[in-house]
Amino acid sequence: METQVVRVEQVLHMTGGAEETSYANNSLIPKKVMMRVKPILEESLNKVYGTTNVPTCFKVADLGCSSGPNTLLLASNMIHIVNETSRRLKVEPPLFQFFLNDLFGNDFNLIFKSLPQFYDTLKQQDTTCFINATPGTFYGTLFPSNSIHFFHSSFCLHWLSQVPNLLRGEAKIANDDKGNIYATSITPPSYGKQFERDFKLFLLSRYKELVPGGGMLLTFLGKFDTSEYISIPGIFRVVLNDMVSENLIEEAMLEHFNMPLYFAPVEKVREIIEEEGSFSVERLEIIKLSWDGSSLDEEAGSKGFKDDNERAEFITRNKRSILEPLLKAHFGEGILDELFLRLKTRIIQFLPKLEDPILVISLTKIA
Ligand SMILES: C[S@@+](CC[C@H](N)C(=O)[O-])C[C@H]1O[C@@H](n2cnc3c(N)ncnc32)[C@H](O)[C@@H]1O
């Protein structure tokens, strides 16, 4: 079987609709992160709005908005922050224009259906907001030059634009130590190089699109630098390897499956931003996120779990709503129930170790 370059923009989308298995129904963890990061969002927005910039129409783009309640909640939060700042500065609050961006397969319709209620609520607050959709990849140009005041993106930039072509010997790294969960989480160097290319292109594209004084807030998954770190692709690979040894999946199918995900160490991310040179780093923080989101419970209201089984079920549903379309496109639908049942068992086994760092980065455009 030939290794083909999978262009993520053609295949990636979260599970659409509002059913039990949809992303909309399984996005409590990003919501918790959003609540936790709200003070940083406020700080970030206030660096852009109200200091040098008091535009009549404040233009914001949410990159990788997906579909579900988080999208319009974020828009409401931003509107509230900017309106409060306007009141404090005794200036007329602006009109708002929000551009919702995601890849072409995203279920934008689900968001559109909740717009009447969103607009009604804003009308009661005397606020005018225009919502637009901008489908396409954020690795490249999405908007005219000098047109956007603020970019936001949460839980997206760990997605690569493509699975990199592995160099000689790298496929061996990815497939070695089949039973060893830690070794399976080691990422071949080509992934880091792909991330660097993608992230630089992202920064350059946003630099051109931002107005002078514009800024952005990015949150995405990074990587802990310990030998005990378990990555999402790593745990999937162990489950898939088990299924190959039981002849439930063909070995060749697994050999040609690689997730377009990369979790960058924080120092690497800082280095890329500095080397690229378009933005100054206002803030770069790490928040520890356990896979069940409970590490954020104090901030965002606890979701108590009865036991580890319930906890693992919650995590598995979240991962399924994100990864099912990708897995289905490669392996077909037939194996999915079995795969996620096994994933849940592995998750129970490794529960206390399942933790990722979330990178929270506030940037302003260098003049
Ligand atoms: C886990 S969802 C996050 C959704 C939302 N921001 C939240 O915090 O709940 C990640 C989203 O990023 C989108 N995405 C990934 N790569 C992208 C790209 N290159 N351009 C635009 N969207 C992308 C995916 O389609 C997906 O909807």
Side-chain angles (χ1 to χ4, degrees), residues 94-339:
L95 305 173
F96 293 88
Q97 189 169 22
F98 271 88
F99 298 92
L100 307 180
N101 157 260
D102 207 292
L103 293 173
F104 304 101
N106 185 53
D107 187 359
F108 286 101
N109 272 327
L110 191 81
I111 311 174
F112 297 160
K113 283 181 194 149
S114 46
L115 281 178
Q117 201 193 346
F118 176 75
Y119 284 140
D120 280 351
T121 313
L122 290 183
K123 212 166 160 191
Q124 286 161 20
Q125 299 161 9
D126 265 341
T127 296
T128 306
C129 176
F130 306 97
I131 300 277
N132 300 246
T134 308
T137 175
F138 48 55
Y139 294 124
T141 303
L142 286 168
F143 302 99
S145 299
N146 276 317
S147 64
I148 304 290
H149 296 99
F150 193 80
F151 283 112
H152 176 272
S153 178
S154 90
F155 276 91
C156 299
L157 282 160
H158 44 262
W159 286 102
L160 298 171
S161 65
Q162 63 176 66
V163 169
N165 266 327
L166 297 188
L167 301 173
R168 190 184 275 270
E170 285 191 326
K172 193 164 151 41
I173 301 179
N175 286 311
D176 259 359
D177 286 311
K178 290 185 169 54
N180 180 344
I181 195 135
Y182 301 115
T184 319
S185 284
I186 295 169
T187 324
S190 289
Y191 276 72
K193 297 213 173 75
Q194 184 67 46
F195 174 80
E196 188 169 336
R197 276 195 298 276
D198 285 346
F199 193 44
K200 280 188 174 163
L201 180 57
F202 175 88
L203 293 171
L204 182 64
S205 310
R206 303 298 79 80
Y207 175 79
K208 289 181 183 162
E209 294 163 350
L210 278 171
V211 300
M216 52 187 180
L217 182 67
L218 313 174
T219 32
F220 55 98
L221 292 172
K223 169 184 189 296
F224 286 124
D225 203 7
T226 75
S227 55
E228 297 248 298
Y229 170 71
I230 298 173
S231 72
I232 296 164
I235 203 163
F236 268 91
R237 193 159 276 279
V238 166
V239 172
L240 290 164
N241 270 318
D242 287 349
M243 292 177 78
V244 167
S245 23
E246 291 172 44
N247 294 324
L248 298 172
I249 293 176
E250 274 177 51
E251 186 156 15
M253 290 284 275
L254 178 58
E255 266 167 25
H256 293 87
F257 178 70
N258 286 298
M259 290 189 188
L261 284 167
Y262 180 74
F263 306 107
V266 62
E267 315 80 60
K268 185 72 198 159
V269 173
R270 188 186 281 278
E271 196 184 296
I272 296 173
I273 297 169
E274 285 172 0
E275 203 180 291
E276 198 277 332
S278 303
F279 290 90
S280 56
V281 179
E282 304 293 340
R283 197 184 262 276
L284 202 172
E285 268 186 25
I286 293 175
I287 299 174
K288 272 191 185 178
L289 177 72
S290 54
W291 283 20
D292 65 356
S294 61
S295 55
L296 299 176
D297 278 349
E298 242 175 70
E299 289 88 358
S302 172
K303 163 135 179 63
F305 295 102
K306 205 168 69 217
D307 51 28
D308 281 356
N309 186 55
E310 205 179 272
R311 198 178 289 272
E313 177 67 32
F314 173 80
I315 299 173
T316 307
R317 275 171 193 263
N318 170 257
K319 300 291 175 240
R320 187 164 183 164
S321 74
I322 296 169
L323 292 164
E324 180 169 278
L326 204 67
L327 290 158
K328 191 165 147 183
H330 186 85
F331 294 105
E333 197 165 6
I335 64 149
L336 293 181
D337 285 342
E338 179 64 25
L339 192 160

